Amino acid sequence: MAGLLVGCLTALLGLLYFAVVGTLLGPFLLWPRTRRHAFVALIAGARRLTGLERRRRSVFYGDRFPDRIVPDHRILRYLATRAYAGLITGIVVGLLGFGILLAGLLVASLLRGTLGWQEMLTQGLLGGVLLFLDVQGLVSLEAFDTRLARENFGPSERELMQRRIDELATSRAAVLQAVDTERRRIERDLHDGVQQRLVALAMLLGRARRGRTPEQADSLLEQAHRESQEVVTELREVAWRVYPTALDNLGLQEALAGVSERCSIPIRMDFALSEPLPASVETAAYFVVSEAVTNAAKHSAATEILVSVRAYGPVLVVRIEDNGVGGANPGGSGLTGLHTRVGALDGRLHVHSPAGGPTTITAELPCA
């Protein structure tokens, strides 16, 4: 309530400012030679009054707006709208005070016996309805004042903090879901691939052990040797999908070179980094490239993939483009996991994949 009352006074100041200063500067605003200087003078005073409004929001409502430059036309629009809303608020507050005064007179008349109970009930019912409408008007005007300040000064620091908390909570839940999904994928890879090959290897060794002739045993052992090599290769692939050791030992460029070697589609690499990256950024960049290349090899029918890794100031930009058929689903499990991984670093992931291609995936990762 105190904030509304003070807002009525500041709105009155704004109204007087427009009436007095606007009238004095009006002729100069109309003359082209003096228009710019007159407008600068008008805006200077308007910004001081707007600063007073910001302090009112800070003292009575706890708002802390970020320091940023507000355009001149928005300053004038805000001050004019505040003057109008403050005038209406003053009228509503005056009506509320007048109603309280009338209620006091009615009670005094009742105590003196000059007012009957029936008339008192009628007046009380009417006064209650008017009081409800008055309070609702004040609540609506206060909400309008808050919305007006937010539109012109931006969200307050408290709102930005709450928004950040909500984003972190959503990101945390998405990360946990991505971890569970990755665990299920690893279990599926081990069960359907490595485990089946190990079973086949055990059966081959068992048959070789029971072989009736040396030639049959040698043949089975040769098959077992090939199977063991394939098991090692598949285990290495699973380990690379979990986390590439080359990323720690050799760096991002060599790790991406490994992705190129394992891909069935030719990859042109544009790697231009002069400064070392944080480990978390390197890991995210690697998995963005790895997942995008894997999807292209499986679904795009592409004949070439271009991978670009460049730094633009404090932001690492990773771009993967293929010349395939397009139509990638941004809501798929793979791209959803990339969104989560990039979002956990306050980055952004863009997927552009029109029907007919090409598909372009761009990740922007802050390095600071």
Side-chain angles (χ1 to χ4, degrees):
M1 188 63 179
L4 280 178
L5 294 177
V6 176
C8 294
L9 298 177
T10 56
L12 180 60
L13 289 176
L15 189 62
L16 291 175
Y17 180 77
F18 280 120
V20 176
V21 179
T23 302
L24 294 175
L25 293 178
F28 300 99
L29 289 170
L30 294 176
W31 194 24
R33 291 187 178 182
T34 58
R35 181 178 299 161
R36 187 174 65 86
H37 297 289
F39 185 75
V40 169
L42 181 66
I43 285 295
R47 287 191 179 276
R48 292 189 182 93
L49 290 176
T50 303
L52 191 62
E53 291 287 351
R54 289 171 64 113
R55 284 192 291 272
R56 177 181 67 88
R57 295 292 312 178
S58 175
V59 171
F60 294 100
Y61 299 99
D63 290 338
R64 296 289 187 275
F65 296 105
D67 293 329
R68 63 188 183 92
I69 299 176
V70 181
D72 294 341
H73 69 279
R74 290 178 60 181
I75 288 289
L76 293 176
R77 184 181 63 184
Y78 172 77
L79 205 58
T81 308
R82 268 293 304 140
Y84 174 72
L87 180 61
I88 295 178
T89 304
I91 295 174
V92 174
V93 171
L95 290 175
L96 179 61
F98 184 69
I100 293 175
L101 178 61
L102 289 181
L105 294 176
L106 286 176
V107 172
S109 300
L110 180 63
L111 294 177
R112 289 197 304 266
T114 58
L115 186 67
W117 284 101
Q118 184 176 2
E119 187 178 358
M120 179 64 183
L121 289 176
T122 302
Q123 296 292 335
L125 180 61
L126 179 60
V129 173
L130 294 177
L131 176 63
F132 173 77
L133 294 177
D134 213 339
V135 172
Q136 284 296 107
L138 289 177
V139 171
S140 299
L141 286 168
E142 185 174 12
F144 176 75
D145 184 34
T146 301
R147 185 170 66 253
L148 186 64
R150 186 181 299 116
E151 289 176 355
N152 286 273
F153 305 137
S156 65
E157 292 181 359
R158 180 173 54 187
E159 291 170 333
L160 291 174
M161 181 64 70
Q162 184 61 48
R163 186 182 303 175
R164 180 61 175 160
I165 291 173
D166 294 340
E167 290 176 354
L168 289 175
T170 303
S171 176
R172 178 178 178 273
V175 167
L176 291 176
Q177 182 179 2
V179 169
D180 290 338
T181 302
E182 189 68 14
R183 286 174 176 171
R184 287 192 293 270
R185 186 189 64 79
I186 294 172
E187 189 275 335
R188 185 173 59 252
D189 288 346
L190 292 175
H191 181 272
D192 297 342
V194 176
Q195 179 176 311
Q196 300 301 323
R197 289 188 178 278
L198 288 176
V199 170
L201 177 61
M203 294 176 63
L204 286 172
L205 291 175
R207 290 174 58 191
R209 183 181 179 184
R210 296 188 300 271
R212 297 180 179 179
T213 62
E215 293 79 7
Q216 183 181 12
D218 288 342
S219 175
L220 292 172
L221 286 175
E222 185 178 352
Q223 294 181 41
H225 182 257
R226 288 197 301 268
E227 190 70 25
S228 66
Q229 290 179 324
E230 293 176 359
V231 168
V232 171
T233 301
E234 191 157 345
L235 273 175
R236 187 178 295 115
E237 289 292 330
V238 172
W240 266 89
R241 287 195 293 268
V242 174
Y243 187 84
T245 55
L247 198 58
D248 290 334
N249 300 332
L250 304 175
L252 178 60
Q253 187 171 9
E254 292 299 324
L256 294 181
V259 174
S260 300
E261 292 174 1
R262 294 191 305 276
C263 183
S264 58
I265 301 175
I267 296 179
R268 287 194 297 121
M269 186 73 63
D270 176 24
F271 191 95
L273 294 178
S274 58
E275 300 292 334
L277 298 173
S280 57
V281 175
E282 278 195 341
T283 303
Y286 170 82
F287 280 106
V288 167
V289 174
S290 178
E291 182 66 30
V293 167
T294 301
N295 287 344
K298 287 182 178 179
H299 309 297
S300 72
T303 59
E304 186 182 45
I305 301 174
L306 172 63
V307 176
S308 172
V309 181
R310 287 179 171 269
Y312 296 90
V315 178
L316 177 70
V317 178
V318 180
R319 188 170 179 269
I320 305 96
E321 180 179 350
D322 66 66
N323 60 353
V325 296
N329 180 19
S333 60
L335 292 178
T336 300
L338 290 186
H339 273 287
T340 301
R341 185 182 292 275
V342 172
L345 298 178
D346 290 335
R348 292 183 298 178
L349 185 75
H350 307 279
V351 179
H352 181 68
S353 182
T359 296
T360 304
I361 298 175
T362 306
E364 299 175 4
L365 301 166
C367 301

Coordinates of all heavy atoms in Angstrom, one line a residue, residues 288-343:
V288 N 29.2 -33.8 -29.3 CA 28.4 -33.2 -30.3 C 28.8 -33.7 -31.7 O 27.9 -34.1 -32.5 CB 28.5 -31.6 -30.2 CG1 27.8 -31.0 -31.5 CG2 27.7 -31.1 -29.0
V289 N 30.1 -33.7 -32.0 CA 30.6 -34.1 -33.2 C 30.3 -35.6 -33.4 O 29.8 -36.1 -34.5 CB 32.1 -33.8 -33.4 CG1 32.6 -34.4 -34.7 CG2 32.3 -32.3 -33.4
S290 N 30.6 -36.4 -32.4 CA 30.5 -37.8 -32.5 C 29.0 -38.2 -32.7 O 28.7 -39.1 -33.6 CB 31.0 -38.5 -31.2 OG 30.8 -39.9 -31.2
E291 N 28.1 -37.7 -32.0 CA 26.7 -38.0 -32.1 C 26.1 -37.6 -33.5 O 25.4 -38.3 -34.2 CB 25.8 -37.4 -31.0 CG 24.4 -37.7 -31.1 CD 24.1 -39.2 -30.8 OE1 24.9 -39.8 -30.1 OE2 23.1 -39.7 -31.3
A292 N 26.5 -36.3 -33.9 CA 26.1 -35.8 -35.2 C 26.6 -36.7 -36.4 O 25.9 -37.0 -37.3 CB 26.5 -34.4 -35.4
V293 N 27.9 -37.0 -36.3 CA 28.5 -37.9 -37.4 C 27.8 -39.3 -37.4 O 27.5 -39.8 -38.5 CB 30.0 -38.0 -37.1 CG1 30.6 -39.0 -38.0 CG2 30.6 -36.6 -37.4
T294 N 27.6 -39.8 -36.2 CA 26.9 -41.1 -36.1 C 25.6 -41.1 -36.7 O 25.2 -42.0 -37.5 CB 26.9 -41.6 -34.7 OG1 28.2 -41.7 -34.1 CG2 26.2 -43.0 -34.6
N295 N 24.8 -40.1 -36.4 CA 23.4 -39.9 -37.0 C 23.5 -39.8 -38.5 O 22.7 -40.3 -39.2 CB 22.7 -38.7 -36.4 CG 22.3 -39.0 -34.9 OD1 22.3 -40.1 -34.5 ND2 22.0 -37.9 -34.2
A296 N 24.4 -39.0 -39.0 CA 24.6 -38.8 -40.4 C 24.9 -40.1 -41.1 O 24.4 -40.4 -42.2 CB 25.6 -37.7 -40.7
A297 N 25.8 -40.9 -40.5 CA 26.2 -42.1 -41.2 C 25.1 -43.1 -41.2 O 24.9 -43.9 -42.1 CB 27.4 -42.7 -40.4
K298 N 24.2 -43.1 -40.2 CA 23.1 -44.1 -40.1 C 21.9 -43.7 -40.9 O 21.2 -44.5 -41.5 CB 22.7 -44.2 -38.6 CG 23.6 -45.0 -37.8 CD 23.1 -45.1 -36.3 CE 24.0 -45.9 -35.5 NZ 23.5 -46.0 -34.1
H299 N 21.5 -42.4 -41.0 CA 20.2 -42.0 -41.5 C 20.2 -41.0 -42.6 O 19.2 -40.9 -43.3 CB 19.4 -41.3 -40.3 CG 19.4 -42.1 -39.1 ND1 18.8 -43.4 -39.0 CD2 19.9 -41.8 -37.8 CE1 18.9 -43.8 -37.7 NE2 19.5 -42.9 -37.0
S300 N 21.3 -40.3 -42.9 CA 21.3 -39.2 -43.9 C 21.5 -39.6 -45.3 O 21.2 -38.8 -46.2 CB 22.3 -38.1 -43.5 OG 23.6 -38.6 -43.7
A301 N 22.1 -40.7 -45.5 CA 22.5 -41.1 -46.9 C 23.5 -40.1 -47.5 O 23.5 -39.8 -48.7 CB 21.3 -41.3 -47.8
A302 N 24.3 -39.4 -46.7 CA 25.2 -38.4 -47.1 C 26.4 -39.0 -47.7 O 26.8 -40.2 -47.5 CB 25.6 -37.5 -46.0
T303 N 27.1 -38.2 -48.6 CA 28.4 -38.7 -49.2 C 29.5 -37.9 -48.6 O 30.7 -38.2 -48.9 CB 28.3 -38.5 -50.7 OG1 28.1 -37.1 -51.0 CG2 27.2 -39.4 -51.3
E304 N 29.3 -36.8 -47.8 CA 30.3 -36.0 -47.3 C 29.8 -35.3 -46.0 O 28.6 -34.9 -46.0 CB 30.9 -35.0 -48.3 CG 32.1 -34.2 -47.8 CD 32.5 -33.2 -48.8 OE1 31.7 -32.5 -49.4 OE2 33.8 -33.1 -49.1
I305 N 30.7 -35.1 -45.1 CA 30.4 -34.4 -43.8 C 31.4 -33.4 -43.6 O 32.6 -33.7 -43.7 CB 30.3 -35.4 -42.6 CG1 29.2 -36.4 -42.8 CG2 30.0 -34.6 -41.3 CD1 29.2 -37.5 -41.7
L306 N 31.0 -32.2 -43.3 CA 32.0 -31.1 -42.9 C 31.8 -30.8 -41.5 O 30.7 -30.5 -40.9 CB 31.6 -29.8 -43.8 CG 32.4 -28.5 -43.4 CD1 33.9 -28.8 -43.6 CD2 31.9 -27.3 -44.1
V307 N 33.0 -30.8 -40.8 CA 33.0 -30.5 -39.3 C 33.9 -29.3 -39.1 O 35.0 -29.2 -39.6 CB 33.6 -31.7 -38.5 CG1 33.7 -31.3 -37.0 CG2 32.7 -32.9 -38.7
S308 N 33.3 -28.3 -38.5 CA 34.1 -27.0 -38.2 C 34.1 -26.8 -36.7 O 33.1 -26.8 -36.0 CB 33.4 -25.8 -38.9 OG 34.0 -24.6 -38.5
V309 N 35.3 -26.5 -36.2 CA 35.5 -26.2 -34.7 C 36.3 -25.0 -34.7 O 37.5 -25.0 -34.9 CB 36.2 -27.4 -34.0 CG1 36.3 -27.1 -32.5 CG2 35.4 -28.7 -34.2
R310 N 35.6 -23.9 -34.3 CA 36.3 -22.6 -34.2 C 35.9 -21.8 -33.0 O 34.8 -22.0 -32.5 CB 36.0 -21.7 -35.5 CG 36.7 -22.2 -36.7 CD 36.3 -21.4 -37.9 NE 37.1 -21.7 -39.1 CZ 38.3 -21.1 -39.4 NH1 38.8 -20.2 -38.6 NH2 39.0 -21.5 -40.5
A311 N 36.8 -20.9 -32.5 CA 36.5 -20.1 -31.4 C 36.2 -18.7 -31.9 O 37.0 -18.1 -32.7 CB 37.6 -20.1 -30.4
Y312 N 35.1 -18.1 -31.4 CA 34.7 -16.7 -31.7 C 34.7 -16.0 -30.3 O 33.6 -16.0 -29.6 CB 33.4 -16.6 -32.4 CG 33.5 -17.3 -33.8 CD1 33.2 -18.6 -34.0 CD2 33.9 -16.5 -34.9 CE1 33.2 -19.2 -35.2 CE2 33.9 -17.1 -36.2 CZ 33.6 -18.4 -36.3 OH 33.7 -19.0 -37.5
G313 N 35.8 -15.4 -30.0 CA 35.8 -14.7 -28.6 C 35.8 -15.8 -27.6 O 36.5 -16.8 -27.6
P314 N 34.9 -15.6 -26.6 CA 34.8 -16.6 -25.5 C 33.8 -17.7 -25.8 O 33.5 -18.5 -24.9 CB 34.2 -15.7 -24.3 CG 33.4 -14.7 -25.0 CD 34.0 -14.4 -26.3
V315 N 33.4 -17.9 -27.0 CA 32.5 -18.9 -27.4 C 33.1 -19.9 -28.4 O 33.7 -19.5 -29.4 CB 31.2 -18.3 -28.0 CG1 30.2 -19.4 -28.4 CG2 30.5 -17.4 -27.0
L316 N 33.0 -21.2 -28.1 CA 33.4 -22.2 -29.1 C 32.2 -22.6 -29.9 O 31.1 -23.0 -29.4 CB 33.9 -23.4 -28.4 CG 34.3 -24.6 -29.3 CD1 35.6 -24.3 -30.0 CD2 34.6 -25.9 -28.4
V317 N 32.3 -22.5 -31.2 CA 31.3 -22.9 -32.2 C 31.6 -24.2 -32.9 O 32.7 -24.2 -33.6 CB 31.0 -21.7 -33.2 CG1 29.9 -22.1 -34.2 CG2 30.6 -20.5 -32.5
V318 N 30.8 -25.2 -32.7 CA 31.0 -26.5 -33.4 C 29.9 -26.6 -34.4 O 28.7 -26.6 -34.0 CB 31.0 -27.6 -32.3 CG1 31.2 -28.9 -33.0 CG2 32.0 -27.4 -31.3
R319 N 30.3 -26.9 -35.6 CA 29.3 -26.9 -36.7 C 29.5 -28.2 -37.5 O 30.6 -28.5 -38.0 CB 29.4 -25.7 -37.6 CG 28.3 -25.6 -38.7 CD 28.4 -24.2 -39.3 NE 27.4 -24.0 -40.4 CZ 27.6 -24.3 -41.7 NH1 28.8 -24.8 -42.0 NH2 26.7 -24.1 -42.5
I320 N 28.4 -29.0 -37.7 CA 28.5 -30.2 -38.4 C 27.4 -30.2 -39.5 O 26.2 -30.0 -39.3 CB 28.2 -31.5 -37.6 CG1 29.2 -31.5 -36.4 CG2 28.4 -32.7 -38.4 CD1 28.6 -30.9 -35.1
E321 N 27.9 -30.3 -40.8 CA 27.0 -30.2 -41.9 C 27.2 -31.4 -42.8 O 28.3 -31.8 -43.2 CB 27.2 -28.9 -42.7 CG 26.2 -28.8 -43.9 CD 26.5 -27.5 -44.6 OE1 27.2 -26.6 -44.1 OE2 25.9 -27.3 -45.7
D322 N 26.1 -32.1 -43.2 CA 26.2 -33.2 -44.2 C 25.3 -32.9 -45.4 O 24.4 -32.0 -45.3 CB 25.8 -34.5 -43.6 CG 24.3 -34.6 -43.2 OD1 23.4 -34.5 -44.1 OD2 24.0 -34.6 -42.0
N323 N 25.6 -33.5 -46.5 CA 24.8 -33.3 -47.8 C 23.8 -34.3 -48.0 O 23.5 -34.7 -49.1 CB 25.8 -33.2 -49.0 CG 26.6 -34.5 -49.1 OD1 26.5 -35.4 -48.3 ND2 27.3 -34.5 -50.2
G324 N 23.2 -34.9 -46.9 CA 22.2 -35.9 -47.0 C 20.8 -35.5 -47.3 O 20.6 -34.4 -47.7
V325 N 19.9 -36.4 -47.0 CA 18.5 -36.1 -47.3 C 17.7 -35.2 -46.3 O 16.6 -34.8 -46.6 CB 17.7 -37.5 -47.4 CG1 18.3 -38.3 -48.5 CG2 17.8 -38.2 -46.1
G326 N 18.4 -34.9 -45.2 CA 17.7 -34.0 -44.2 C 16.6 -34.7 -43.4 O 16.5 -36.0 -43.4
G327 N 15.7 -33.9 -42.8 CA 14.6 -34.5 -42.1 C 14.9 -35.0 -40.7 O 14.2 -35.9 -40.2
A328 N 16.1 -34.6 -40.1 CA 16.4 -35.0 -38.8 C 15.4 -34.6 -37.8 O 14.9 -33.4 -37.9 CB 17.8 -34.5 -38.4
N329 N 15.1 -35.4 -36.8 CA 14.1 -35.1 -35.8 C 14.8 -34.5 -34.6 O 15.6 -35.2 -33.9 CB 13.4 -36.3 -35.4 CG 12.3 -36.1 -34.3 OD1 11.9 -34.9 -34.1 ND2 11.9 -37.1 -33.6
P330 N 14.6 -33.2 -34.3 CA 15.3 -32.6 -33.2 C 14.9 -33.2 -31.8 O 15.6 -33.0 -30.8 CB 14.9 -31.1 -33.2 CG 14.5 -30.9 -34.7 CD 13.9 -32.2 -35.1
G331 N 13.7 -33.8 -31.8 CA 13.2 -34.4 -30.6 C 13.7 -35.8 -30.4 O 13.3 -36.5 -29.4
G332 N 14.5 -36.3 -31.3 CA 15.0 -37.7 -31.1 C 15.9 -37.8 -29.9 O 16.4 -36.8 -29.3
S333 N 16.1 -39.1 -29.5 CA 16.9 -39.3 -28.2 C 18.3 -38.8 -28.3 O 18.9 -38.2 -27.4 CB 16.9 -40.8 -27.9 OG 17.5 -41.6 -29.0
G334 N 19.0 -39.0 -29.5 CA 20.3 -38.5 -29.6 C 20.5 -37.0 -29.6 O 21.3 -36.5 -28.8
L335 N 19.7 -36.3 -30.3 CA 19.7 -34.8 -30.3 C 19.2 -34.2 -29.0 O 19.7 -33.2 -28.6 CB 18.9 -34.3 -31.5 CG 19.5 -34.6 -32.9 CD1 18.7 -34.0 -34.0 CD2 20.9 -34.0 -33.0
T336 N 18.2 -34.9 -28.4 CA 17.8 -34.5 -27.1 C 18.9 -34.5 -26.1 O 19.1 -33.6 -25.2 CB 16.6 -35.3 -26.6 OG1 15.5 -35.1 -27.6 CG2 16.1 -34.8 -25.3
G337 N 19.7 -35.6 -26.1 CA 20.8 -35.8 -25.2 C 21.9 -34.7 -25.5 O 22.5 -34.2 -24.5
L338 N 22.1 -34.3 -26.7 CA 23.0 -33.2 -27.0 C 22.5 -31.9 -26.5 O 23.3 -31.1 -26.0 CB 23.2 -33.1 -28.5 CG 24.0 -34.3 -29.2 CD1 24.3 -34.0 -30.7 CD2 25.3 -34.5 -28.5
H339 N 21.2 -31.6 -26.7 CA 20.6 -30.4 -26.1 C 20.9 -30.4 -24.6 O 21.2 -29.3 -24.1 CB 19.1 -30.4 -26.3 CG 18.7 -29.8 -27.7 ND1 18.8 -28.5 -27.9 CD2 18.3 -30.4 -28.8 CE1 18.4 -28.2 -29.2 NE2 18.1 -29.4 -29.7
T340 N 20.7 -31.5 -23.9 CA 20.9 -31.5 -22.5 C 22.4 -31.3 -22.1 O 22.7 -30.5 -21.2 CB 20.5 -32.9 -21.9 OG1 19.1 -33.1 -22.2 CG2 20.7 -32.9 -20.4
R341 N 23.3 -31.9 -22.9 CA 24.7 -31.8 -22.6 C 25.2 -30.3 -22.8 O 25.9 -29.8 -22.0 CB 25.5 -32.8 -23.4 CG 27.0 -32.8 -23.1 CD 27.7 -33.8 -24.1 NE 27.3 -35.1 -23.8 CZ 27.9 -35.9 -22.9 NH1 28.9 -35.4 -22.2 NH2 27.6 -37.2 -22.8
V342 N 24.7 -29.8 -23.9 CA 25.1 -28.4 -24.3 C 24.5 -27.4 -23.3 O 25.1 -26.4 -22.8 CB 24.8 -28.1 -25.7 CG1 25.0 -26.6 -26.0 CG2 25.6 -28.9 -26.7
G343 N 23.2 -27.6 -23.0 CA 22.5 -26.7 -22.0 C 23.1 -26.7 -20.7 O 23.0 -25.7 -19.9

